[in-house]
Amino acid sequence: MYGQTASLAFKAAEEDVNSDLSFLGGSKLRIMISDAQRSGFLSIMGALQFMETDVVAIIGPQTSIMAHVLSHLANELTVPMLSFTALDPTLSPLQFPFFVQTAPNDLFLMRAIAEMITYYGWSDVVALYNDDDNSRNGVTALGDELEERRCKISYKAVLPLDVVITSPAEIIEELTKIRGMESRIIVVNTFPNTGKMIFEEAERLGMMEKGYVWIATTWLSSLVDSDLPLDLKSLNGVLTLRLHTPDSRKKRDFVARWKKNKTIGLNVYGLYAYDTVWIIAQAVKSFLEAGGNLTFSHDAKLSNLKGEALNLSALSRFDEGPQLLDYIMRTKMSGLTGPVQFHRDRSMAQPSYDIINVVDGGFRQIGYWSNHSGLSTVPPESFYNKPSNRSSSNQHLNSVTWPGGTSVTPRGWVFPNNGKLLRIGVPNRASFKDFVSRVNGSSNHKVQGYCIDVFEAAVKLLSYPVPHEFIFFGDGLQNPNYNDLVNKVANGVDFDAAVGDIAIVTKRTRIVDYTQPYIESGLVVVAPVTALNENPWAFLRPFTPPMWAVTASFFMVVGAVIWILEHRTNDEFRGPPRRQIITILWLVHMSHLNCLHHGENTTSTLGRMVLLIWLFVVLIITSSYTASLTSMLTVQQLNSPIKGVDTLISSSGRIGFQVGSFAENYMIDELNIARSRLVALGSPQEYATALQNGTVSAIVDERPYVDLFLSDYCKFAIRGQEFTRCGWGFAFPRDSPLAVDMSTAILGLSETGELQRIHDRWLSKSNCSSPHGSQSGDSEQLNVHSFWGMFLVCGIACLVALFIHFVKVVRNFIKHKPEEEEKDIPSPESSRLKKLQTFLAYIDEKEEESKRRFKRKRSSLSMNANSSISSRQV
C-alpha cells in the first residue's frame, strides 16, 4: 500500500520538478525506484546498487528495521537518506547523522494517544503490536508518555513480523489472553495486513462489543484512504489517527490530479512522498546556486576490501553529501503537507494529527491533536500564533460512538475474566472484634464486622459485580501489623486489596490508593478521671485561686479608694471605724445591684467615677462566674492530672498504645516521646487493667477504638481534643480504578444514611449510665489572665482619682495652714512629726468644718486688724 502510493507520488513530483528546466540550472532530477518486495535482504541490495550510480540522496527505506541497517551505509558514503514511513523514535540524528525523517516521528503519535487516554480518564491500556523496531519502539515511547501521566501499559501483546504472519493463530491466542484481562483499552500499533486480521478475529471473539475501546495508529486511516478492501462496519467505534495536513489550494489541486489517474486512493503518505522529493530538489537547487559541484569518489576503506563476488570498490562516496544535508535541514517551503521546516533536533515543525472515529461504515473526525495545543475540535494551525495552553480545561474532543454503538464513554476496565476472585486481605484481630472478625464456627473466609458491612454495602452500589474472597492476615492471637498488610497490597503478590480498620496515614498513601474515608478517626488520650460535682466547695471552682485573691484584693482597694475620696465630704464615711468599714464593704459589694441609688452615697465626682468603673468590672466577672458555675453544675465534671496530649508529653509517665497501631510510630517520630515510655497493650481489658493499677498514666489510640472501650469502662475519659485528623479507608494498589468507584459508592452510602445505620448497628452501644467518652476534660476555670485588662483599668482609675484628690488636699492644706501656724504653732522649731500629725488631722477633718473654721479665723483676723487700726487713729 505504501509502496504503490509512494511510487505514484514520486513520479508526479519528478514531473513537476523537471517541468521547469531552469529550476536546476538545466539539469534534470531522475528518480530510480527499487521494489524490495518487503524483503530486508533486497533492501540492502537495492541500496548498494544505488550507491554504484552516483546518487545524491536515497528516499527510504519503508521500515525502521532497514533504516537502522542502511543508515550505517549512508553514514559511510555520506549520502543523505530521507524516509517518511520509517518513523521509529529511536532513529537518533546523533547515531545516524545522514538519516532524516521527513514526517513527524512516532513519538508524537504516541504522545497524542497518551493524551487521549488521559482525556477520557483511563489509566491502564493493553498494547498489541508486531515484533519489529518500528512497532516495538513506538510502544516503548507510548509507555514512557503514559508513565508521565500516571498511566501504564499493563500488558504487551507481541505478534510476529507483519511479513511472516500467514494465519491468525498467534493473533487469536493473544486476543484470548486480552479478553480475560482487566483493561479494555487496546492500542493496535501494527501494519495494514496484521491490523485487518486483528479486527476480524476480535469481532469473532466478541471483542467489538460495548465496554471495549480500540485505538488504531495511522495504519488504519491510511488503509481506508487508499480505498483498499476493508469491512468498515466491523470496525464500528474504533478510533484512529491520521497525520494532519492543512487544507490548501495546492493540496486540492493535487488531489484532483490524483483522482484522474487513480489506481489507488491517496493517503497522507503520498503527500509526504511528494514533499520529500521537493525537499531534495530545493536543497540541490540551493547547493547549485551557491556554486557547488556534485562530485563522487571511491571510499578507501571499501577499496581495501577483497572479495570474489562483492564489487564493493564500485560504491561511490558523495563528496558534497554533508553540504547537501545541511541544505536539506535548512529547507523552508510550503508543501502539500503544509509548511515544511525542521527544528535543530531534526524533528518536523508543528507535528499534528487528525483524530477519527469509524462510524456506520465511514469516518467521522472528532478532533485534532498538536504538540502545541493538545486536543482540540478546531484545526491546530489556528493556535500556532497564540501561546501554548495545555491545561485540562482547554482540551476538547467531539462526541464518540464507541464499540457497541454507545455514546457513553466506557469505564475502560472490568474484573478479569480468568476465574480468579479478588483477594481481599482483612486483619485477623485479637481485640475490638466489632470492627472485623471471623464468624465463629465458619470457614476461613467467613468474615463479619462494621468494616465488612460497609465494604459489602458499597460493592452493592457498583454497576458491575466484584467477585471476591476474604483472606485473613495475622494469627488472631495478637493484632497484626497494618503496615505489613498495606505493603502486601502494594506488592500485589498476596492481596489485591485490604479491607478493615486501616488508618489513612501519609506513609501508606505513598504506596497504595485509599478510598474515601468511611469513618472519621484521630488519635486521642484516655486517662482515669474522678467526678467533681459532689464536692461541697464546688461553688469555688469557677475561679482559680489567684482569681479569687485578685478579686478580693480589688474589693478592698476600691473600698479604700472610695473611703479616701469620700471621707472628708460624706457623713456616711465618718464616725466610728467599725461603722466606716461596714459602709465601705456594703457600698462596694452592693454597687452592682443599684448603681444610681448607691452611687448617690458618694458626693464627689472622683468617687462616682471609680465606683462606676468598679461596677462594670463586677458585672463582667459576675456574669462569667454565673455561666461557668451553671456549666459545672449541669454537666458532669471530670478531673485528672492529664489534661491532653501536651501534659502527656511534658510528664514522665508511661503511655499505652494498641498493638499494631500507627500510634506507636507517631508518638516516637512526631511527638518525640521516648520509646521506653511506651507500653504495648492488646485488648480493652488490658487497657483498663493498666490504667487502674498505674502501669500507664494514659493511653493513646484512635477515636473509634476509644469510643468502643469507653462504652464498657466508665471510670476513664478522653482528655483534651483529637490531636490528629485522619480516617479509615479500604486500600487498593496504586492507580486501581476500583478505588475510585468504591469512593463514589461510599459517598452514596453517606448521603442515603446507610453508613450511619451500619455504624449504629455495630458501634452505638454503652453500658455506662453517664458515659465519660463525650467529655473532653474539665470546664475551663476563669483566671486572672482573662480579666487583667479590666483590673488594670480599674486600678489606673483608682490611682488617678487618688492623685487628683491628694493634690487638691495638699493645695488646700498649704493654703489654710499658714494662718494657723502663725497663731497656734508660734515656735519655728516644731518637729516634722508634729507637722505630719497636723496634716493627717487635716485630712481626717471634715471638709465643711475646715472651711467654717477657716472663715472664722479669717473673720477674727480681720476684726483684730480693724481694732489695731482704730487704736492707732485714737
Side-chain angles (χ1 to χ4, degrees):
M1 178 188 71
Y2 297 113
Q4 292 181 55
T5 305
S7 62
L8 295 173
F10 290 156
K11 292 178 181 178
E14 183 182 18
E15 292 175 1
D16 292 346
V17 171
N18 293 330
S19 63
D20 182 2
L21 294 177
S22 64
F23 184 78
L24 295 177
S27 299
K28 286 189 176 182
L29 183 72
R30 187 161 74 95
I31 298 178
M32 298 175 290
I33 298 177
S34 173
D35 183 4
Q37 301 176 16
R38 306 190 69 189
S39 167
F41 176 74
L42 293 180
S43 293
I44 296 174
M45 291 299 100
L48 292 174
Q49 289 174 356
F50 286 150
M51 296 303 183
E52 295 178 353
T53 60
D54 295 343
V55 296
V56 297
I58 296 176
I59 300 177
Q62 177 178 321
T63 65
S64 295
I65 295 177
M66 296 315 302
H68 281 89
V69 175
L70 297 179
S71 290
H72 292 286
L73 181 61
N75 290 348
E76 181 63 29
L77 300 178
T78 63
V79 178
M81 179 178 289
L82 294 77
S83 178
F84 52 89
T85 54
L87 303 177
D88 181 356
T90 65
L91 286 166
S92 167
L94 296 176
Q95 183 180 7
F96 307 112
F98 280 85
F99 181 79
V100 180
Q101 293 171 329
T102 57
N105 73 46
D106 285 349
L107 171 64
F108 302 104
L109 172 64
M110 298 307 165
R111 185 172 298 168
I113 294 175
E115 292 196 12
M116 290 168 60
I117 290 169
T118 305
Y119 173 79
Y120 289 113
W122 304 317
S123 60
D124 200 348
V125 305
V126 171
L128 190 59
Y129 61 97
N130 297 105
D131 193 17
D132 65 87
D133 288 3
N134 195 77
S135 300
R136 181 174 54 253
N137 293 333
V139 169
T140 301
L142 175 62
D144 293 340
E145 293 292 331
L146 289 173
E147 187 175 355
E148 291 181 4
R149 295 159 178 80
R150 289 197 64 183
C151 303
K152 64 179 180 179
I153 298 176
S154 59
Y155 180 70
K156 295 180 179 180
V158 184
L159 300 174
L161 295 176
D162 182 69
V163 295
V164 301
I165 289 184
T166 57
S167 71
E170 294 91 345
I171 294 175
I172 294 173
E173 180 181 354
E174 290 297 335
L175 289 178
T176 302
K177 291 179 184 178
I178 294 172
R179 187 174 59 175
M181 294 179 181
E182 180 178 294
S183 178
R184 285 293 182 263
I185 314 299
I186 306 169
V187 178
V188 182
N189 187 35
T190 182
F191 295 91
N193 179 46
T194 304
K196 286 193 295 183
M197 297 174 66
I198 288 173
F199 282 107
E200 288 171 0
E201 299 306 323
E203 186 178 24
R204 293 191 183 98
L205 292 172
M207 297 176 68
M208 300 301 296
E209 298 174 354
K210 183 179 178 181
Y212 283 90
V213 175
W214 291 87
I215 302 176
T217 52
T218 56
W219 65 267
L220 179 56
S221 60
S222 298
L223 185 62
V224 175
D225 290 338
S226 300
D227 295 334
L228 297 177
L230 181 66
D231 183 11
L232 283 177
K233 291 184 178 179
S234 64
L235 300 174
N236 195 55
V238 175
L239 295 179
T240 185
L241 296 93
R242 177 202 292 135
L243 281 164
H244 175 69
T245 55
D247 186 33
S248 66
R249 181 173 181 178
K250 182 184 294 186
K251 177 183 172 181
R252 290 194 299 269
D253 292 343
F254 186 79
V255 171
R257 175 182 169 189
W258 186 280
K259 290 181 179 180
K260 293 179 180 179
N261 302 306
K262 178 181 178 181
T263 57
I264 187 174
L266 175 63
N267 60 54
V268 70
Y269 292 100
L271 303 177
Y272 277 98
Y274 182 91
D275 281 354
T276 300
V277 174
W278 272 99
I279 290 173
I280 297 172
Q282 290 278 11
V284 172
K285 178 178 182 293
S286 299
F287 175 79
L288 295 176
E289 289 178 348
N293 294 316
L294 303 177
T295 62
F296 299 86
S297 61
H298 294 290
D299 192 325
K301 296 178 183 179
L302 297 179
S303 299
N304 296 329
L305 295 176
K306 296 181 180 181
E308 296 181 357
L310 296 176
N311 187 18
L312 297 178
S313 61
L315 301 180
S316 298
R317 179 184 180 89
F318 182 24
D319 297 330
E320 286 75 26
Q323 291 91 328
L324 182 62
L325 177 64
D326 183 60
Y327 281 109
I328 289 173
M329 300 316 302
R330 285 191 284 172
T331 299
K332 189 174 183 180
M333 69 178 197
S334 178
L336 298 181
T337 59
V340 177
Q341 189 176 356
F342 295 93
H343 291 303
R344 294 185 63 181
D345 62 355
R346 296 196 182 182
S347 63
M348 297 293 292
Q350 307 296 359
S352 56
Y353 294 86
D354 300 334
I355 302 175
I356 300 166
N357 185 201
V358 181
V359 182
D360 299 329
F363 271 6
R364 182 168 66 88
Q365 187 158 333
I366 63 169
Y368 306 86
W369 178 90
S370 78
N371 198 45
H372 178 78
S373 56
L375 301 172
S376 65
T377 55
V378 297
E381 49 268 21
S382 60
F383 296 103
Y384 291 155
N385 294 325
K386 302 177 183 178
S388 178
N389 185 354
R390 304 296 293 276
S391 63
S392 58
S393 61
N394 201 48
Q395 305 298 293
H396 304 285
L397 289 176
N398 290 323
S399 60
V400 178
T401 299
W402 303 100
T406 180
S407 59
V408 179
T409 303
R411 188 172 66 246
W413 67 277
V414 295
F415 279 98
N417 185 20
N418 52 14
K420 294 182 180 180
L421 301 176
L422 191 71
R423 301 165 302 168
I424 300 178
V426 294
N428 193 6
R429 296 192 57 85
S431 62
F432 294 107
K433 294 189 176 183
D434 297 79
F435 295 108
V436 57
S437 65
R438 187 193 308 271
V439 176
N440 294 331
S442 67
S443 64
N444 289 338
H445 304 306
K446 191 70 173 178
V447 190
Q448 65 180 2
Y450 166 72
C451 303
I452 303 301
D453 282 4
V454 172
F455 176 79
E456 296 289 6
V459 167
K460 290 179 181 178
L461 294 183
L462 300 179
S463 59
Y464 49 88
V466 183
H468 60 273
E469 62 175 340
F470 294 111
I471 303 174
F472 279 103
F473 175 71
D475 55 14
L477 301 178
Q478 65 177 5
N479 296 332
N481 187 297
Y482 281 62
N483 288 333
D484 293 342
L485 174 59
V486 171
N487 284 332
K488 288 184 177 294
V489 174
N491 296 334
V493 177
D494 298 310
F495 303 124
D496 301 313
V499 170
D501 46 338
I502 306 171
I504 303 173
V505 295
T506 304
K507 181 179 179 180
R508 299 171 185 170
T509 57
R510 296 191 180 104
I511 58 175
V512 297
D513 281 351
Y514 277 96
T515 61
Q516 173 81 12
Y518 58 87
I519 186 173
E520 292 185 357
S521 180
L523 293 178
V524 293
V525 177
V526 180
V529 293
T530 57
L532 298 177
N533 288 4
E534 298 178 359
N535 190 328
W537 301 100
F539 70 92
L540 297 176
R541 293 191 64 248
F543 285 174
T544 60
M547 182 64 181
W548 280 115
V550 172
T551 303
S553 299
F554 261 83
F555 266 99
M556 302 305 297
V557 168
V558 172
V561 171
I562 294 296
W563 180 84
I564 292 172
L565 297 177
E566 300 296 328
H567 177 67
R568 301 188 72 243
T569 59
N570 196 326
D571 291 337
E572 294 186 8
F573 289 86
R574 304 188 65 81
R578 180 181 178 184
R579 176 188 173 189
Q580 295 186 48
I581 293 174
I582 294 175
T583 300
I584 292 170
L585 294 177
W586 173 77
L587 178 65
V588 174
H589 175 67
M590 299 298 292
S591 60
H592 66 284
L593 298 179
N594 192 332
C595 173
L596 294 177
H597 175 72
H598 297 293
E600 291 172 355
N601 291 325
T602 63
T603 59
S604 70
T605 302
L606 293 177
R608 287 179 178 274
M609 179 191 72
V610 172
L611 196 59
L612 286 174
I613 293 176
W614 177 243
L615 170 64
F616 174 75
V617 174
V618 169
L619 288 176
I620 295 297
I621 294 176
T622 303
S623 61
S624 300
Y625 173 87
T626 303
S628 181
L629 181 62
T630 302
S631 173
M632 290 180 175
L633 296 178
T634 56
V635 179
Q636 186 179 32
Q637 299 301 306
L638 310 174
N639 185 41
S640 170
I642 303 297
K643 305 299 181 182
V645 67
D646 293 333
T647 56
L648 190 64
I649 294 173
S650 60
S651 69
S652 60
R654 306 189 76 187
I655 305 169
F657 67 92
Q658 184 181 169
V659 175
S661 171
F662 77 95
E664 177 186 12
N665 291 334
Y666 183 86
M667 286 188 285
I668 295 173
D669 299 336
E670 303 297 333
L671 303 183
N672 297 319
I673 295 176
R675 189 183 296 272
S676 59
R677 292 181 58 192
L678 304 183
V679 179
L681 303 171
S683 67
Q685 294 78 13
E686 292 184 18
Y687 281 17
T689 302
L691 289 170
Q692 288 172 345
N693 61 24
T695 302
V696 297
S697 58
I699 289 173
V700 173
D701 205 351
E702 295 177 72
R703 184 65 185 252
Y705 300 123
V706 170
D707 288 341
L708 205 58
F709 167 71
L710 295 179
S711 67
D712 292 325
Y713 297 92
C714 311
K715 296 182 179 180
F716 314 103
I718 296 173
R719 311 301 295 163
Q721 303 295 328
E722 293 183 14
F723 54 92
T724 65
R725 292 288 183 182
C726 60
W728 291 354
F730 306 133
F732 292 89
R734 292 297 298 270
D735 303 320
S736 170
L738 185 57
V740 178
D741 290 351
M742 286 293 289
S743 294
T744 304
I746 290 171
L747 289 175
L749 292 176
S750 178
E751 292 172 355
T752 60
E754 181 62 22
L755 195 61
Q756 184 62 42
R757 286 190 286 271
I758 297 174
H759 178 278
D760 295 342
R761 186 163 61 247
W762 283 98
L763 306 179
S764 293
K765 59 180 182 179
S766 177
N767 297 323
C768 299
S769 57
S770 299
H772 297 167
S774 60
Q775 298 294 327
S776 61
D778 296 338
S779 293
E780 185 177 357
Q781 290 181 300
L782 302 176
N783 53 55
V784 178
H785 297 290
S786 302
F787 298 94
W788 73 268
M790 290 188 298
F791 284 126
L792 178 63
V793 171
C794 185
I796 292 175
C798 291
L799 291 175
V800 170
L802 286 175
F803 177 76
I804 295 174
H805 178 72
F806 182 75
V807 170
K808 182 179 178 181
V809 170
V810 170
R811 186 190 64 184
N812 292 335
F813 176 75
I814 294 173
K815 180 178 179 181
H816 298 163
K817 293 313 289 177
E819 294 84 352
E820 297 181 8
E821 290 179 356
E822 292 176 0
K823 178 179 180 181
D824 300 330
I825 311 177
S827 175
E829 300 170 351
S830 298
S831 67
R832 294 180 179 179
L833 179 61
K834 187 66 174 178
K835 292 181 179 180
L836 178 62
Q837 291 175 347
T838 303
F839 179 71
L840 292 178
Y842 177 78
I843 292 176
D844 183 61
E845 187 179 34
K846 190 175 181 182
E847 186 176 357
E848 293 180 358
E849 294 179 359
S850 298
K851 290 180 178 180
R852 286 196 297 269
R853 184 161 49 82
F854 175 71
K855 289 179 179 180
R856 288 198 301 269
K857 291 178 180 180
R858 291 290 298 270
S859 297
S860 175
L861 291 174
S862 178
M863 292 178 61
N864 291 336
N866 291 333
S867 298
S868 176
I869 293 172
S870 299
S871 299
R872 290 173 182 169
Q873 290 175 349
V874 173

